[in-house]
Amino acid sequence: MTRPGDNARMVGKLAVVAAGMFAFGYALIPLYQAICEATGINILALSERQVPGAAGTAPANTQVDTSRTITVEFDANARGPWSFHPAQRSLQVHPGELATVMYEFQNVQDRRMAAQAIPSYAPRQAAAHFNKIECFCFNQYTLEPGEKKQWPVVFVIDPKLSKDVTTITLSYTFFEIGGRTPPAPETSAALAAQGSGT
């Protein structure tokens, strides 16, 4: 049999041990920071330090060629009775810069339709350097009668594109699935660009 005094002493000892563990855990944070500061091994926390003159600065994207500007023209062709056009006709971008353009579509027919877009480029050499990150041309879509949609095209022009190319025309042809797939259009802008060799 244990006496009540022994139980009280045991509870007191356990309370002291628990308080000591809490104090050690609380003191461990500044102790850890001091050890890491002295040894220089806390490389994950270097970004949290306040470096004079570096507050709010972000590293520049070295992939963007700011010495060049390329005009990207947007064209839309619809094979069928529906409305399809870009939200803007052209955009000035630097090679390596991420850019977005929206295309608007409306099914003006009185029936449901499934459709897809196919892209084409002028000049042709630009196709290998026009990298689409997001594009509605990757998928087929079903639209209800009168339904309107807006779709983005997110792209980057590779800085390796020849320096004599200053204008690129991105043209989409939107056609109904199940019908004959039309050939890529030869727009007047595309033909002019090919003729000039740009």
Side-chain angles (χ1 to χ4, degrees), residues 22 38 41 45 49 56 79 99 118 120 134 137 140 153 156-157 163:
F22 176 78
I41 60 172
R49 294 182 185 170
R79 297 289 189 255
I118 53 172
S120 61
E134 183 180 348
C137 62
Q140 297 178 359
V153 178
V156 174
I157 297 173
K163 292 191 185 296

PDB file of all heavy atoms in Angstrom, residues 22 38 41 45 49 56 79 99 118 120 134 137 140 153 156-157 163:
ATOM      1  N   PHE A  22       8.282  21.392 -21.166  1.00  0.00           N
ATOM      2  CA  PHE A  22       7.660  22.523 -21.853  1.00  0.00           C
ATOM      3  C   PHE A  22       8.670  23.656 -22.016  1.00  0.00           C
ATOM      4  O   PHE A  22       8.783  24.254 -23.084  1.00  0.00           O
ATOM      5  CB  PHE A  22       6.426  23.000 -21.070  1.00  0.00           C
ATOM      6  CG  PHE A  22       5.784  24.208 -21.668  1.00  0.00           C
ATOM      7  CD1 PHE A  22       4.973  24.097 -22.782  1.00  0.00           C
ATOM      8  CD2 PHE A  22       6.012  25.466 -21.128  1.00  0.00           C
ATOM      9  CE1 PHE A  22       4.387  25.216 -23.356  1.00  0.00           C
ATOM     10  CE2 PHE A  22       5.430  26.585 -21.691  1.00  0.00           C
ATOM     11  CZ  PHE A  22       4.617  26.462 -22.799  1.00  0.00           C
ATOM     12  N   ALA A  38      24.925  30.381 -36.436  1.00  0.00           N
ATOM     13  CA  ALA A  38      26.366  30.230 -36.221  1.00  0.00           C
ATOM     14  C   ALA A  38      27.006  29.286 -37.236  1.00  0.00           C
ATOM     15  O   ALA A  38      28.124  29.514 -37.697  1.00  0.00           O
ATOM     16  CB  ALA A  38      26.622  29.723 -34.796  1.00  0.00           C
ATOM     17  N   ILE A  41      23.782  26.601 -41.563  1.00  0.00           N
ATOM     18  CA  ILE A  41      23.129  25.460 -42.212  1.00  0.00           C
ATOM     19  C   ILE A  41      21.647  25.668 -42.470  1.00  0.00           C
ATOM     20  O   ILE A  41      21.009  24.851 -43.104  1.00  0.00           O
ATOM     21  CB  ILE A  41      23.310  24.165 -41.383  1.00  0.00           C
ATOM     22  CG1 ILE A  41      22.702  24.318 -39.989  1.00  0.00           C
ATOM     23  CG2 ILE A  41      24.752  23.769 -41.311  1.00  0.00           C
ATOM     24  CD1 ILE A  41      22.666  23.030 -39.188  1.00  0.00           C
ATOM     25  N   ALA A  45      15.739  29.131 -44.539  1.00  0.00           N
ATOM     26  CA  ALA A  45      15.199  30.351 -43.953  1.00  0.00           C
ATOM     27  C   ALA A  45      15.900  31.605 -44.460  1.00  0.00           C
ATOM     28  O   ALA A  45      15.592  32.689 -44.012  1.00  0.00           O
ATOM     29  CB  ALA A  45      15.300  30.290 -42.428  1.00  0.00           C
ATOM     30  N   ARG A  49      15.049  36.383 -44.220  1.00  0.00           N
ATOM     31  CA  ARG A  49      15.862  37.446 -43.648  1.00  0.00           C
ATOM     32  C   ARG A  49      15.588  38.762 -44.348  1.00  0.00           C
ATOM     33  O   ARG A  49      15.300  38.805 -45.542  1.00  0.00           O
ATOM     34  CB  ARG A  49      17.349  37.117 -43.776  1.00  0.00           C
ATOM     35  CG  ARG A  49      17.772  35.929 -42.959  1.00  0.00           C
ATOM     36  CD  ARG A  49      19.249  35.730 -43.108  1.00  0.00           C
ATOM     37  NE  ARG A  49      19.684  34.528 -42.428  1.00  0.00           N
ATOM     38  CZ  ARG A  49      20.877  34.011 -42.561  1.00  0.00           C
ATOM     39  NH1 ARG A  49      21.762  34.579 -43.352  1.00  0.00           N
ATOM     40  NH2 ARG A  49      21.204  32.920 -41.918  1.00  0.00           N
ATOM     41  N   GLY A  56      11.021  43.437 -51.256  1.00  0.00           N
ATOM     42  CA  GLY A  56      10.030  43.592 -52.322  1.00  0.00           C
ATOM     43  C   GLY A  56      10.570  43.393 -53.714  1.00  0.00           C
ATOM     44  O   GLY A  56       9.859  43.613 -54.679  1.00  0.00           O
ATOM     45  N   ARG A  79     -16.582  27.808 -89.811  1.00  0.00           N
ATOM     46  CA  ARG A  79     -17.168  26.985 -90.869  1.00  0.00           C
ATOM     47  C   ARG A  79     -18.549  26.552 -90.384  1.00  0.00           C
ATOM     48  O   ARG A  79     -18.723  25.509 -89.802  1.00  0.00           O
ATOM     49  CB  ARG A  79     -16.293  25.762 -91.151  1.00  0.00           C
ATOM     50  CG  ARG A  79     -14.913  26.104 -91.670  1.00  0.00           C
ATOM     51  CD  ARG A  79     -14.995  26.634 -93.099  1.00  0.00           C
ATOM     52  NE  ARG A  79     -13.678  26.758 -93.677  1.00  0.00           N
ATOM     53  CZ  ARG A  79     -13.058  27.910 -93.849  1.00  0.00           C
ATOM     54  NH1 ARG A  79     -13.608  29.017 -93.444  1.00  0.00           N
ATOM     55  NH2 ARG A  79     -11.875  27.941 -94.426  1.00  0.00           N
ATOM     56  N   ALA A  99       1.763  35.468 -72.521  1.00  0.00           N
ATOM     57  CA  ALA A  99       0.685  36.352 -72.980  1.00  0.00           C
ATOM     58  C   ALA A  99      -0.619  35.569 -73.076  1.00  0.00           C
ATOM     59  O   ALA A  99      -0.610  34.346 -73.250  1.00  0.00           O
ATOM     60  CB  ALA A  99       1.041  36.958 -74.331  1.00  0.00           C
ATOM     61  N   ILE A 118      -9.015  24.441 -85.192  1.00  0.00           N
ATOM     62  CA  ILE A 118      -7.661  24.056 -85.610  1.00  0.00           C
ATOM     63  C   ILE A 118      -6.867  25.339 -85.885  1.00  0.00           C
ATOM     64  O   ILE A 118      -7.387  26.271 -86.491  1.00  0.00           O
ATOM     65  CB  ILE A 118      -7.663  23.127 -86.850  1.00  0.00           C
ATOM     66  CG1 ILE A 118      -8.469  23.736 -87.998  1.00  0.00           C
ATOM     67  CG2 ILE A 118      -8.185  21.762 -86.508  1.00  0.00           C
ATOM     68  CD1 ILE A 118      -8.349  22.965 -89.292  1.00  0.00           C
ATOM     69  N   SER A 120      -3.585  27.701 -87.328  1.00  0.00           N
ATOM     70  CA  SER A 120      -2.571  27.805 -88.372  1.00  0.00           C
ATOM     71  C   SER A 120      -1.783  29.084 -88.116  1.00  0.00           C
ATOM     72  O   SER A 120      -2.245  29.988 -87.420  1.00  0.00           O
ATOM     73  CB  SER A 120      -3.206  27.806 -89.768  1.00  0.00           C
ATOM     74  OG  SER A 120      -4.065  28.915 -89.914  1.00  0.00           O
ATOM     75  N   GLU A 134      -2.040  26.987 -72.835  1.00  0.00           N
ATOM     76  CA  GLU A 134      -3.463  26.671 -72.687  1.00  0.00           C
ATOM     77  C   GLU A 134      -4.162  27.139 -73.944  1.00  0.00           C
ATOM     78  O   GLU A 134      -3.919  28.239 -74.420  1.00  0.00           O
ATOM     79  CB  GLU A 134      -4.046  27.382 -71.461  1.00  0.00           C
ATOM     80  CG  GLU A 134      -5.489  27.060 -71.200  1.00  0.00           C
ATOM     81  CD  GLU A 134      -6.037  27.777 -69.974  1.00  0.00           C
ATOM     82  OE1 GLU A 134      -5.260  28.340 -69.200  1.00  0.00           O
ATOM     83  OE2 GLU A 134      -7.267  27.761 -69.811  1.00  0.00           O
ATOM     84  N   CYS A 137      -8.174  24.977 -78.503  1.00  0.00           N
ATOM     85  CA  CYS A 137      -8.016  24.069 -79.637  1.00  0.00           C
ATOM     86  C   CYS A 137      -7.585  22.674 -79.207  1.00  0.00           C
ATOM     87  O   CYS A 137      -7.576  21.760 -80.017  1.00  0.00           O
ATOM     88  CB  CYS A 137      -7.023  24.647 -80.646  1.00  0.00           C
ATOM     89  SG  CYS A 137      -5.355  24.863 -79.989  1.00  0.00           S
ATOM     90  N   GLN A 140     -12.567  19.352 -77.776  1.00  0.00           N
ATOM     91  CA  GLN A 140     -13.835  19.536 -78.486  1.00  0.00           C
ATOM     92  C   GLN A 140     -14.857  20.075 -77.487  1.00  0.00           C
ATOM     93  O   GLN A 140     -14.768  19.794 -76.295  1.00  0.00           O
ATOM     94  CB  GLN A 140     -14.328  18.214 -79.066  1.00  0.00           C
ATOM     95  CG  GLN A 140     -13.403  17.619 -80.100  1.00  0.00           C
ATOM     96  CD  GLN A 140     -13.901  16.281 -80.620  1.00  0.00           C
ATOM     97  OE1 GLN A 140     -14.928  15.770 -80.200  1.00  0.00           O
ATOM     98  NE2 GLN A 140     -13.143  15.698 -81.530  1.00  0.00           N
ATOM     99  N   VAL A 153      -6.333  31.703 -74.857  1.00  0.00           N
ATOM    100  CA  VAL A 153      -5.139  31.119 -75.463  1.00  0.00           C
ATOM    101  C   VAL A 153      -3.971  31.746 -74.712  1.00  0.00           C
ATOM    102  O   VAL A 153      -3.784  32.961 -74.757  1.00  0.00           O
ATOM    103  CB  VAL A 153      -5.028  31.418 -76.970  1.00  0.00           C
ATOM    104  CG1 VAL A 153      -3.738  30.827 -77.527  1.00  0.00           C
ATOM    105  CG2 VAL A 153      -6.227  30.890 -77.717  1.00  0.00           C
ATOM    106  N   VAL A 156       3.553  31.504 -75.324  1.00  0.00           N
ATOM    107  CA  VAL A 156       4.887  32.096 -75.211  1.00  0.00           C
ATOM    108  C   VAL A 156       5.568  31.902 -76.558  1.00  0.00           C
ATOM    109  O   VAL A 156       5.521  30.814 -77.126  1.00  0.00           O
ATOM    110  CB  VAL A 156       5.725  31.398 -74.119  1.00  0.00           C
ATOM    111  CG1 VAL A 156       7.147  31.932 -74.109  1.00  0.00           C
ATOM    112  CG2 VAL A 156       5.092  31.551 -72.762  1.00  0.00           C
ATOM    113  N   ILE A 157       6.189  32.947 -77.049  1.00  0.00           N
ATOM    114  CA  ILE A 157       6.967  32.838 -78.296  1.00  0.00           C
ATOM    115  C   ILE A 157       8.414  32.569 -77.908  1.00  0.00           C
ATOM    116  O   ILE A 157       9.010  33.311 -77.121  1.00  0.00           O
ATOM    117  CB  ILE A 157       6.848  34.115 -79.138  1.00  0.00           C
ATOM    118  CG1 ILE A 157       5.392  34.316 -79.559  1.00  0.00           C
ATOM    119  CG2 ILE A 157       7.769  34.047 -80.343  1.00  0.00           C
ATOM    120  CD1 ILE A 157       5.127  35.615 -80.254  1.00  0.00           C
ATOM    121  N   LYS A 163      15.152  36.489 -85.875  1.00  0.00           N
ATOM    122  CA  LYS A 163      15.005  37.918 -85.581  1.00  0.00           C
ATOM    123  C   LYS A 163      14.333  38.696 -86.708  1.00  0.00           C
ATOM    124  O   LYS A 163      13.855  39.808 -86.490  1.00  0.00           O
ATOM    125  CB  LYS A 163      16.377  38.529 -85.274  1.00  0.00           C
ATOM    126  CG  LYS A 163      16.964  38.027 -83.966  1.00  0.00           C
ATOM    127  CD  LYS A 163      18.174  38.828 -83.573  1.00  0.00           C
ATOM    128  CE  LYS A 163      18.847  38.285 -82.343  1.00  0.00           C
ATOM    129  NZ  LYS A 163      18.073  38.326 -81.143  1.00  0.00           N
TER     130      LYS A 163
END
